[in-house]
Amino acid sequence: MEVISGKEMAAALKQQLAADVVGYAEKYGRKPNLVVILVGDDPGSVSYVTGKAKAADEVGIDNSTIRLSEQTTEEELLDLVRALNVDTSVDGILVQLPLPNGINEEKVIETIAKEKDVDGFHPMNVAALWQKRPCVLPCTPKGIIRLMKNMGIEMAGKRAVVIGRSNIVGLPVTKLLMDENATVTVCHSRTKDIAKICSEADILVPALGRPKFVKAEMVKEGAVVIDVGVNRDPETGKLCGDVDFDDVATKASYITKVPGGVGPMTIACLMENTVECYLHNMKAQGK
Ligand code: NAP
């Protein structure tokens, strides 16, 4: 059994991006520029935004976080996004989710220019993903595939099972696994006999948000297990995944840990998306 270190891979990707950014900055006269918008002061969101800013600093991406009060109206937020859309010095716009009640998330996401949508959540990027056209890929699914590729894990012809069908993880990772020629089954809260389906998986991707849901008896001997969940263990209060790591590690050939697995790769892929959006922006400006 081998633990896939998302932390190490993320560090390597950020290092590579940092070197690339030095060269790009010389060529284009400025660094990539990411603007993060945080509405309210939900502690989870504050911590995510802080982590993204730290990663951007490491890569040499100019970044700023615009903090708005919980009382911000939808129209005020949309006006800010529209202003950033037309600001040619801004390459990436990230609105931290979830947004306070009263602000329509879908409306906000579809207002972000799709070329600056570093999260890959804009409906045009989603549609392009499903039609295999150029697009900004959502960071977590992109990171999951990258983790497996970096480990040399063959996906073609393999039976993959994804647990979860959300727009940000379950659905896009399903599509990316199909693009790698895996045969994919998607499970959700209404799936019957989930343990049996999971136990047939060569590649298991739990993304349901239930602490330690996946036990050894649900896992095939030698399976690759990529744990997306980020939960609080109800017993210890510590962070844990959707996989009971100690139990499942006895069966898996490769497994990720929480924390230190998919999470860091998600952030590194966000940095990569920002650099890609910047390069697109430079090209659009004829540079
Ligand atoms: P979500 O929107 O709540 O979706 C959860 C999905 O899991 C839904 O499709 C739901 O089914 C399914 N599900 C829930 N309980 C289930 C059960 N008992 N059996 C089978 N399926 C079940 O969550 P999400 O945003 O996709 O996030 C999933 C997890 O990944 C969370 O723990 C989140 O914190 C984590 N996450 C981590 C990262 C990272 O960077 N590491 C990024 C994003 C999310 P229905 O569709 O039937 O409701």
Side-chain angles (χ1 to χ4, degrees), residues 140 163-166 168-169 188-189 194 207-210 213 228-231 262-263 266:
T140 301
I163 317 178
R165 54 177 167 181
S166 71
I168 64 164
V169 190
H188 45 76
S189 65
I194 197 165
L208 68 160
R210 300 283 178 270
F213 179 88
V228 187
V230 179
N231 314 295
V262 172
T266 296

Side-chain angles (χ1 to χ4, degrees), residues 179-225:
D179 289 348
E180 296 298 328
N181 298 309
T183 302
V184 192
T185 302
V186 182
C187 299
H188 45 76
S189 65
R190 306 287 292 272
T191 299
K192 293 207 169 79
D193 227 351
I194 197 165
K196 182 170 181 294
I197 296 169
C198 291
S199 70
E200 289 164 1
D202 302 308
I203 298 168
L204 182 61
V205 185
L208 68 160
R210 300 283 178 270
K212 299 184 176 176
F213 179 88
V214 176
K215 306 287 182 193
E217 63 265 24
M218 298 168 71
V219 177
K220 183 175 168 178
E221 194 71 50
V224 174
V225 181

Side-chain angles (χ1 to χ4, degrees), residues 32-34 61 91 118 269-278:
N33 183 14
L34 172 66
I61 293 172
D91 305 297
V118 285
C269 286
L270 173 68
M271 298 305 122
E272 187 176 62
N273 282 355
T274 304
V275 173
E276 285 170 8
C277 289
Y278 156 80

